[in-house]
């Protein structure tokens, strides 16, 4: 559901497969199932993407990449 609005703005979203495992680990033992997964995605990916878009509103961002580095999720962009 997050890719569509970015694509409408001409921005590709690229997510490494390792990111999904990290999100699953972050959501484990929450007891709320899919709500925990959704909260983890919002906290670790969507908030960072929103900050990139706000901080770089004048830039023509072509791609946002979500990668796993040392067990953490890193979000970066390409102009």
């Amino acid at each position: 559901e997050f890719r569509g609005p970015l694509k409408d703005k001409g921005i590709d979203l690229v997510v490494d497969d390792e990111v999904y495992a990290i999100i699953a680990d972050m959501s484990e033992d929450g007891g709320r199932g899919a709500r925990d997964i959704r909260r983890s995605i919002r906290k670790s990916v969507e908030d960072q993407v929103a900050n990139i878009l706000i901080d770089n509103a004048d830039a023509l961002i072509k791609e946002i990449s979500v990668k796993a580095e040392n067990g953490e999720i890193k979000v970066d962009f390409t102009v």
Side-chain angles (χ1 to χ4, degrees):
E1 72 185 51
F2 200 53
R3 283 193 172 144
L6 289 175
K7 193 67 165 175
D8 291 344
K9 292 176 178 24
I11 301 171
D12 290 324
L13 180 65
V14 179
V15 181
D16 286 348
D17 289 338
E18 297 171 33
V19 171
Y20 299 113
I22 292 173
I23 289 172
D25 287 342
M26 291 169 56
S27 305
E28 229 174 4
D29 297 329
R32 296 180 58 185
R35 288 187 183 115
D36 290 328
I37 293 170
R38 182 74 179 109
R39 183 179 50 83
S40 295
I41 292 170
R42 185 178 306 118
K43 185 176 174 182
S44 58
V45 177
E46 290 181 2
D47 288 352
Q48 289 187 61
V49 170
N51 287 335
I52 286 171
L53 295 174
I54 291 168
D55 293 344
N56 300 282
D58 295 336
L60 293 174
I61 298 172
K62 294 181 182 179
E63 179 181 282
I64 294 179
S65 60
V66 184
K67 299 180 182 181
E69 291 182 11
N70 299 321
E72 293 185 13
I73 297 174
K74 302 291 181 188
V75 180
D76 201 4
F77 68 97
T78 304
V79 186

